[in-house]
């Protein structure tokens, strides 16, 4: 999904409208945000509460491609929970594969 500049503006307007009923000081803007993308421009006044809500929302965001870190090298795991850097497979899936591979290797050795 590719966001267009108007989508970003609409998302910000929807976010602010959603939190507005809970703002105890709605007429006291403390931050001005100007958004520009090509010819599309928009501006928003944030109160202390709405600015804090935006900061918290941004801090809590997790990218859908963030599948955690590799337990071996610390790199990012891909969608298959495999580290592109070292090849290690992480998570429960990876542990299951490693355990099964060890069982098979022990059968061959013993």
């Amino acid at each position: 999904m590719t966001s267009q500049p108007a989508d970003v503006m609409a998302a910000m307007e929807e976010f602010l409208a959603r939190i507005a009923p809970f703002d105890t000081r709605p007429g006291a803007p403390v931050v001005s945000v100007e958004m520009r993308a090509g010819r599309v421009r928009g501006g928003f006044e944030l109160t202390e509460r709405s600015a804090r809500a935006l900061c918290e929302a941004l801090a809590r965001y997790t990218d859908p491609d963030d599948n955690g870190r590799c337990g071996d090298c610390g790199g990012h795991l891909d969608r298959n929970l495999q580290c592109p850097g070292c090849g290690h497979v992480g998570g429960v899936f990876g542990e299951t594969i490693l355990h099964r591979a060890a069982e098979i290797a022990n059968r061959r050795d013993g």
Side-chain angles (χ1 to χ4, degrees):
M1 177 179 136
T2 303
S3 292
Q4 299 297 317
D7 296 340
V8 176
M9 303 290 180
M12 183 66 142
E13 289 170 353
E14 290 170 14
F15 174 76
L16 293 174
R18 197 169 60 245
I19 63 172
F22 307 104
D23 200 337
T24 57
R25 299 183 59 204
V30 295
V31 175
S32 177
V33 177
E34 183 178 331
M35 299 175 82
R36 291 181 282 175
R39 294 180 189 201
V40 179
R41 295 174 187 263
F44 307 94
E45 297 290 324
L46 303 179
T47 62
E48 185 176 330
R49 185 176 181 122
S50 61
R52 186 172 55 249
L54 179 59
C55 290
E56 287 178 18
L58 293 171
R60 290 181 183 178
Y61 174 78
T62 301
D63 192 285
D65 289 330
D66 184 357
N67 297 299
R69 296 282 193 164
C70 175
D72 283 354
C73 73
H76 289 282
L77 299 176
D78 66 14
R79 289 184 180 190
N80 296 317
L81 302 178
Q82 184 172 14
C83 178
C86 72
H88 180 76
V89 180
V92 173
F93 176 68
E95 292 298 321
T96 302
I97 290 173
L98 291 174
H99 179 71
R100 185 73 176 131
E103 286 178 350
I104 292 169
N106 286 338
R107 275 192 232 149
R108 289 183 190 156
D109 293 341

